[in-house]
Amino acid sequence: MEQADLIRQHYLKSWVKREIAEYSKGRWAALHCDKTDERGRKLLIRYFGRRRKPLKLETIEDVDLILKRFEAWKPRSFYATANLYGRLEREDDVASIDNISACTPTWDIDNRLEGWLATVEAAKEILKLLEEKGVKESVYVKFSGKGAHVQIHPYAVSPEVRSKYNPLDLAYATVEYVRSKLQPRFVEIAVKFKAEGLRVDNEIDPQRLFVCPLSVHRELEMVAVCLEPERLDDFNPLEDARLGGPLRHWEGWRRHRVGEADRLALEAYRLLGGYPGTYGRPRRRKHPPLESQIWRFLRKLEGGEG
DNA sequence: TGCACTATTAGCTTCCGGCG
DNA sequence: CGCCGGAAGCTAATAGTGCA
């Protein structure tokens, strides 16, 4: 069957649309299309219409609407932000980190598809450390279509903690903390499996997108499926996640225990601090450079005395 | 001391590659 | 598409200099 047809068939399934919509709920969504711009890059739609409303997908009907609206551009992949937002109506709502109500700590394991065993090994290391830190029921692994994402449910950090600290900062620190602790292990794994492409990145930033469960991969003929942490060994990408083939997808990505990640998030935040960028934060107060401040001060002194 | 010119610099803007 | 981050280029403010 033609590839475009396979994609269209895939998104006809209502359970596929349901997973995409439920995952995207509260997040800023995006649609990657096969149509390319004049520079040969695939179109990524993040806003809707002239008013540039952030793309939002909350129901199966929303997914249908978007697919229809952008039909001509050949929709291919669905993404959603790591962040959940308080309000998501206008462009402003995604411009400030103050509007972030929760965030999904995500370890992005980059690797070639053929290196899946190494990807699994890296994911297991992360899961093991998370479990040692008390985070077990709110974690899942998502096969991205190539590598994998280990994600903690955004509500595993309690509302109390989320209201006290910015959720993006907490998520950033959480990912960085675990990642840096395990970095030597990742290198060992890369060597052991001869997976030179293996990398575990902290990509948490104010607008970071990750692929939605059951989305088609942006290049490969693969589907992003969620995996139960205990069953990583049972999964074989080429058998279980091929576009058009039978899909093994774990719907347990929703499960979580509120507050389970509080301790880890706070420990990480205390140790490392939050997201280092300035985007979305109030701009630093403008002041003259130190040098000229001193000169001004000296001149004032001289003027006053002489 | 006042003025015109030059040098310096922080902070913009613009471009690019990489990415989801 | 829109973003990040880095590099390069630009700009406006102002420190510094020479001269009358």
Side-chain angles (χ1 to χ4, degrees), chain A residues 62-276:
Chain A
D62 290 342
V63 177
D64 280 328
L65 195 82
I66 292 300
L67 284 170
K68 192 166 180 198
R69 170 70 176 72
F70 298 102
E71 196 174 20
W73 294 353
K74 304 220 180 74
R76 181 180 183 101
S77 308
F78 284 90
Y79 302 108
T81 48
N83 294 328
L84 280 76
Y85 294 86
R87 218 183 84 125
L88 205 46
E89 300 299 326
R90 309 183 296 123
E91 200 171 0
D92 292 4
D93 296 337
V94 292
S96 158
I97 62 166
D98 294 339
N99 190 32
I100 295 169
S101 60
C103 186
T104 317
T106 304
W107 290 266
D108 180 29
I109 308 173
D110 273 346
N111 197 5
R112 294 169 38 224
L113 180 56
E114 307 84 76
W116 177 248
L117 289 181
T119 304
V120 166
E121 206 70 8
K124 283 180 178 172
E125 289 294 331
I126 296 167
L127 294 169
K128 196 175 105 198
L129 182 51
L130 289 179
E131 185 169 353
E132 284 167 22
K133 296 289 178 183
V135 185
K136 180 160 171 64
E137 289 176 38
S138 315
V139 190
Y140 56 94
V141 177
K142 168 154 44 72
F143 168 61
S144 72
K146 193 164 153 192
H149 302 146
V150 177
Q151 296 191 298
I152 298 181
H153 193 287
Y155 292 166
V157 175
S158 67
E160 292 76 23
V161 172
R162 277 187 278 127
S163 65
K164 196 153 179 213
Y165 302 95
N166 190 294
L168 174 76
D169 284 331
L170 294 172
Y172 179 90
T174 303
V175 173
E176 196 57 22
Y177 178 75
V178 168
R179 196 189 68 90
S180 57
K181 261 187 184 303
L182 294 177
Q183 192 54 40
R185 278 296 297 137
F186 298 144
V187 173
E188 282 173 33
I189 292 166
V191 170
K192 180 178 157 197
F193 287 86
K194 297 190 171 59
E196 39 304 340
L198 183 76
R199 286 186 53 90
V200 179
D201 290 328
N202 181 1
E203 299 199 319
I204 297 297
D205 69 41
Q207 343 220 9
R208 179 58 52 183
L209 295 169
F210 292 105
V211 73
C212 291
L214 296 186
S215 166
V216 174
H217 186 268
R218 76 196 144 100
E219 286 155 1
L220 305 177
E221 305 304 293
M222 306 295 287
V223 176
V225 293
C226 293
L227 311 174
E228 186 174 358
E230 316 289 329
R231 300 255 152 75
L232 293 184
D233 293 324
D234 302 345
F235 178 77
N236 177 344
L238 294 177
E239 288 171 18
D240 302 323
R242 242 192 232 276
L243 179 63
L247 298 176
R248 178 194 290 235
H249 168 64
W250 187 56
E251 297 189 357
W253 59 265
R254 301 162 168 78
R255 71 172 191 171
H256 60 281
R257 209 171 79 225
V258 172
E260 191 183 57
D262 281 359
R263 187 188 283 269
L264 171 62
L266 291 173
E267 185 184 347
Y269 185 72
R270 221 160 272 152
L271 209 65
L272 301 173
Y275 173 70

Side-chain angles (χ1 to χ4, degrees), chain A residues 296-306:
Chain A
R296 206 158 293 176
F297 174 70
L298 287 176
R299 230 178 296 136
K300 209 170 180 180
L301 265 186
E302 283 167 23
E305 286 169 358

